[in-house]
Amino acid sequence: MLKLHFLVHSKFFLMFAIISSSTISAETEPDPVHSKFLIEHSLSSLGLPDFQLTFHKRSNLKVTKTNYGLVGSGKLPGFIVDVFTGQEGWVGSEFPAGSQISHFQNYLVFGAIVNGDTLVSSGFSVKQELNPDESPYGDILHRSNLDLESPEYIGAVSEEDYISVYTDTFKTSQLFQWVGWDYFGRRPHKPLNIRVTEKSYAWSLAYAQDFVIYEMIIENIGDDQLGQFYFGIAICPKNGWVFNESLSIANDDISGFIERYPASDQCDLFDTLNMAWSADNDGDPYNGKFVTGFVPYKSARSVTGVNFITLPRPTVKYSFNWWMKVHNNIESDFGPRHRLNFRDFRTGGIGWPYGDVNEYHILSNGEIDYDIPYINDIRQYDPTWLYPNREVAVEIMDGHQHFGMLSVGPFHIPPGGSIPLRFVISAGENFHTDPRNLKNLYGGDTDAYYANLDFSDLIKNAQWARWIYDNPGIDTDNDGYAGEFRVCVFDSVLDANSNWIATVAETTWYKGDGVPDWRAAVPPPTPKMWVTPTFKGINIRFNGQESETTPDIFTKLLDFEGYKIYIARDDRETSYSLLASYDIENYDKYVYNYEKQPQAGWELLDFPMTLEEILCAYADSCNDTLFDVFKYRPSFPFSHPNFPESLFYFVKHEHNVSEFGVTTPITKRFPNAPDPRGKPADSITADFYTADGYLKFFEYEFTIENIIPTVAYYVSVTAMDFGWPKSGLEPLETSITENAQQIYANIVDPALGEDSLQIVVYPNPYRIDANYRARGFEGLNQDDRWSERLRRIHFANIPPKCTISIFSLDGDLIREIHHDKDPSDPTSRHAEWGLISRNGLRVVSGLYYWVVESDSRTEMGKLVIIL
């Protein structure tokens, strides 16, 4: 008979399975390092849960992913094995990536009323009530949208998708000893009978790398109604450098709640957030300064938060609660308690919610607890909150080890029904701005303490997560509703009828249509590109009609900024060099912000301005030729009587190379072509288009001259936008490799006529000691392959459709190459032979004949190979 023994770690679920059999002793203690192996192999072979975990690695916020309801982990180096890589090491919620600074260990909580009974299940490590299936059915799945050719691309949402499925169906029993016990109810765990599909998404994009989005589908797989169902995210802050042995990283943490925040459109309005956040109490300064190097400990200045992106219905109740044990005794068991909604936990304390009924109260009470630092501001006769014990308040006002819970509900899930929930875990940098900020708390000035906390980066990242999920202003399902927007009026005039008419206004879409888009901010569409070989050169023609006329999905503006042309000798992205560029003449306006944290300074808030816009706004007239935009700089900013509250200066947004053929070598193919933008559709005639159907106005070209015609080149044209400074979105550029094409320059001048295009074979003779790889004839970007298979002999100036035959001196056919390419293909007149015979063998040294045959001509010649 099989006998299972389980050991549960008090801080993190850690199960060791030892199987009694003829080969494994039941008394043998396992090596903790190999516990993951035992779980995966021993338990799965018995049909038991296959507990797995991995990590989100592409984002700047690295978070543990499990298949049992735990999100992130704490300070446990060496105990965890990534199910995909097999690597051991430090694991948890790390931000920024590579910093070894931990932030939280969270778990998911579910509660409902079932046949009049109050049931709660969670991923809390000690209870472990959420369990995956046996392998392979319970395995974590991975998807990615990075490689279109990979099977993992199908159905992918982000650069790194992880999907796990787990259930709450186990009861505590002799076999499933690890499943939780309802200590307060003094009964075995009673499951909710739910199946949870948890998907998490991460990106490496600069504006999307500081958050991970979670998508949950909660199904009722039992026979009973799940009434008054609530879902919660339990927050266990652990902020600090994990290898700091001089202090416990969880003993001085703070938490709070942000209901709303100022909108980014400067309308003096607010957007709803409902975020629970946590951070270290002071950022762990060292000798009065924030430090990043390896000293007794690193500073932990960042903050993390969790908020819901979308819910099954808008009218839900939010709850945010926190609790702790200050001295590990029942008298110091504390949590904020509402006077009108007080519940006696019957534990002797007022903090820790032992048992299903008390946990359910926390899930569903609808209370928003005050932030931990404000505990000392609660007075004896506060109308809302019970007066905290003074000893406890003094102990925890500057942070303490604690738990929190953000929860929503109620929902109703009938048998066979399900509900979707989506939330995001975000991080924000530079939350702590003053290394000596704790003095304000000790001095009783909580507001001054909060004035030195900067939530802006955290809120910006949470906002971007919501926009990626549901793009504002996009009618995804074509039902006529594209979301919500607001119009901010910055200036207006009275008309003849005494009506105010807006003269300066800005429209901002801030909410989507409720239908998922899963689209991140992207640069303008890549221009269409054609490349043609010339004599010792390459002609690049491109059309930017879509690049210049496609609005940004978020700002709804035409944010096109310019083009860049690149060249490389191989197809690696890092090999490309910039050849030429074009960008609109515009300028960034930096404004002095007196309230900027941690100290006043210059900020870029607005979109770039053209010179005409600057002159009309700040010069004496729109035609003022004496206004020098470069006259103003940080040491000598612009000031004007009409703008007494502002100081600002201007810098070029890019290079301002906007005169075709003058400041940029890029030229217009049709310099006199009319601009079709804004014209009625019926006025755009055939004369507006090229022979292949593209608008002439957006046609450009650039010629690369004097390059080596015997080696391959890769060329590319990208498009870029000007970003969105107010939201923190940097300018974006299309991928260099997206439209890259390989091409060889012509060895013979095509102007001499087709008959003069003599076929050229090189290198001839081919010498094994000639170092052709270093000279670019063969094997570029193939360092890991056997060099013999990288050898190349090139045939240039061949017809686009032909047959190349290589013969020995005896007339034996060594190799036949069928070359068939479209004449428009830039490599149509070039072919290669790898010195491999038709039998797959390497050829030997000797004299060979080559023959090129096409419908129009036949050419032959000699070839010498010396190996």
Side-chain angles (χ1 to χ4, degrees), residues 710-780:
T710 54
V711 296
Y713 291 89
Y714 293 81
V715 293
S716 169
V717 180
T718 65
M720 54 187 173
D721 64 25
F722 51 63
W724 188 6
K726 192 181 297 182
S727 69
L729 179 62
E730 296 291 329
L732 300 176
E733 182 181 356
T734 57
S735 171
I736 293 177
T737 60
E738 188 167 338
N739 66 358
Q741 294 190 42
Q742 183 189 32
I743 187 172
Y744 290 83
N746 283 332
I747 294 179
V748 180
D749 190 349
L752 299 177
E754 184 72 21
D755 294 338
S756 299
L757 294 180
Q758 181 181 0
I759 294 174
V760 178
V761 179
Y762 65 91
N764 190 8
Y766 182 96
R767 298 173 56 99
I768 194 173
D769 59 354
N771 200 17
Y772 295 126
R773 196 169 188 180
R775 295 162 62 184
F777 292 140
E778 59 189 17
L780 289 175

Side-chain angles (χ1 to χ4, degrees), residues 648-669:
F648 44 86
Y649 68 95
F650 305 95
V651 297
K652 292 179 181 179
H653 178 75
E654 267 281 334
H655 301 290
N656 285 359
V657 285
S658 56
E659 296 183 67
F660 294 105
V662 181
T663 57
T664 173
I666 300 173
T667 60
K668 282 253 189 184
R669 288 191 69 219

